[in-house]
Amino acid sequence: MIGEVSSVKFKCRNILFTTIVSLLFLILSSCSSSETVTTSSSQEVEISSDSSQPSLEIAVKEVEPVVPEVEPVLPVTVLDHAGNTVIINSVERIIPLDGSVAEVVFALNLGKNVVATDRSATWPPEASELPQIGYQRSLLAEPIAGFTPTILIGTDIAGPEKTLDDLRRLGYPVVIVPSESKIQGPAEKIRAVAKALGVPNRGEILAATLESTIAANTQFIDEQKRPVVAALYIRGTGTQLVLGRNSATHWLINAAGGKNIADILDIDQYKTITAESLLRAEPDILLVPSAGLDSVGGIDGLLEVGGISQTPAGINRAVLAYDDQLLLGNGPRTGDLLEQLVADFQAILAQIKNN
């Protein structure tokens, strides 16, 4: 009896299996020799079973290229980084309130419209040759208003706030753009400046190129193999600081393959240089703005600053100096700076290894 039941079950399974196979064959046979499938992006993909035809044909939609504006598209309304809604009707007379913004304006091919800059604008050379309105942190409304600007653009460093409020009350559009000390910061600044000036496409092209350069040069190295790098801000004997995580140098050092002393010493803003802290962190490389290095008489003078001469960097004279605006500005040349930092870090490490 048990054998008969098993036999019946086996026969049923056979019949069921045969039925399923037959149905599948009929379904496949009823399909045409080619099928058209619509993908999630609404592109048509043709799959052909005819051996005389390509097995896969994909109709790819072309991406529209970003076309730079011939002239600024105005008026434009922006919500700036300070939370203010600003209407810009003209960009004929631009005043950048700091050097990095001035550099962006020139990179957007609107340098001819800049009528004045602050003292920190050192690049491009034509920016430094323009009349100056003072220093970005200590601006006065009267000299700025004397240039009858149609737009003022700065970062949150610009001030004091009373001066900016006075300029707004006088009817001058004041736009504050982001200047975050992070890897995305330079591109964000470029896009914000470009939008305020009515040339967002020019900004997108510039920002995308910069992002590509940064991505191509960012280093991924084991923590143990990274040189310890200290970014210093020096102004003679009066100002001698270790820069922290909130400086643009922080992400640059990490991206270039270094280990930042700010992380070792837990510094966010900045800290006065002391022999104790430097000897504890043991930096292999010192990174300084060139004007700061000049202010203490070059490398020899820098080695006299608290404890530096006793560090590995001091012993090997491993000091890298770059233009102040380039190093600290987080501007449109930052990708090129990163590429240079990578090469310089590697050269110093090779030199130390050979000594």
Side-chain angles (χ1 to χ4, degrees), residues 63-68 200-202 204-205:
V63 177
E64 290 294 328
V66 178
V67 179
N201 286 2
R202 293 188 197 178
E204 184 57 37
I205 294 169

Side-chain angles (χ1 to χ4, degrees), residues 225-230 253 257-262 264 281-286 313 349:
K225 296 181 180 180
R226 290 173 174 262
V228 177
V229 183
I253 289 171
K259 181 189 299 184
N260 202 301
I261 194 176
I264 297 172
E282 295 187 315
D284 300 300
I285 300 171
L286 301 177
L349 290 177

Side-chain angles (χ1 to χ4, degrees), residues 127-348:
S128 63
E129 296 169 358
L130 290 167
Q132 294 184 346
I133 55 171
Y135 181 60
Q136 56 187 328
R137 295 180 185 270
S138 53
L139 301 169
L140 296 173
E142 186 175 353
I144 294 175
F147 289 100
T148 59
T150 57
I151 180 172
L152 303 159
I153 313 181
T155 66
D156 53 11
I157 293 176
E161 191 60 35
K162 181 182 182 305
T163 296
L164 301 183
D165 287 341
D166 289 343
L167 290 165
R168 292 184 183 106
R169 279 193 291 270
L170 290 170
Y172 298 112
V174 178
V175 178
I176 302 301
V177 298
S179 186
E180 304 293 332
S181 298
K182 57 184 182 180
I183 198 167
Q184 300 89 352
E188 289 178 355
K189 183 189 298 182
I190 289 170
R191 290 186 173 102
V193 172
K195 182 177 180 181
L197 296 177
V199 287
N201 286 2
R202 293 188 197 178
E204 184 57 37
I205 294 169
L206 183 61
T209 301
L210 172 61
E211 288 171 329
S212 177
T213 304
I214 290 174
N217 289 283
T218 297
Q219 305 297 297
F220 299 94
I221 302 172
D222 290 342
E223 193 72 13
Q224 296 78 11
K225 296 181 180 180
R226 290 173 174 262
V228 177
V229 183
L232 309 179
Y233 185 82
I234 308 287
R235 282 296 182 270
T237 57
T239 303
Q240 300 176 343
L241 307 171
V242 178
L243 296 176
R245 299 185 186 96
N246 294 338
S247 167
T249 57
H250 183 261
W251 77 261
L252 275 165
I253 289 171
N254 292 336
K259 181 189 299 184
N260 202 301
I261 194 176
D263 296 320
I264 297 172
L265 300 177
D266 193 24
I267 303 171
D268 284 328
Q269 297 290 342
Y270 51 80
K271 183 177 181 180
T272 300
I273 297 172
T274 64
E276 180 184 1
S277 61
L278 287 180
L279 291 174
R280 179 158 65 92
E282 295 187 315
D284 300 300
I285 300 171
L286 301 177
L287 190 61
V288 296
S290 54
L293 186 62
D294 292 341
S295 73
V296 292
I299 293 179
D300 290 334
L302 181 65
L303 294 181
E304 295 177 6
V305 175
I308 287 180
S309 63
Q310 302 172 58
T311 65
I315 293 170
N316 293 303
R317 299 175 69 86
V319 179
L320 296 174
Y322 302 92
D323 172 74
D324 293 41
Q325 185 173 313
L326 175 63
L327 183 61
L328 304 175
N330 233 17
R333 291 180 293 158
T334 306
D336 296 332
L337 171 61
L338 176 58
E339 184 176 5
Q340 187 63 52
L341 276 174
V342 171
D344 289 345
F345 282 7
Q346 292 174 354
I348 286 178

Side-chain angles (χ1 to χ4, degrees), residues 31-36 46-50:
C31 292
S32 63
S33 61
S34 66
E35 301 175 359
T36 299
E46 184 178 351
I47 304 172
S48 176
S49 60
D50 185 350

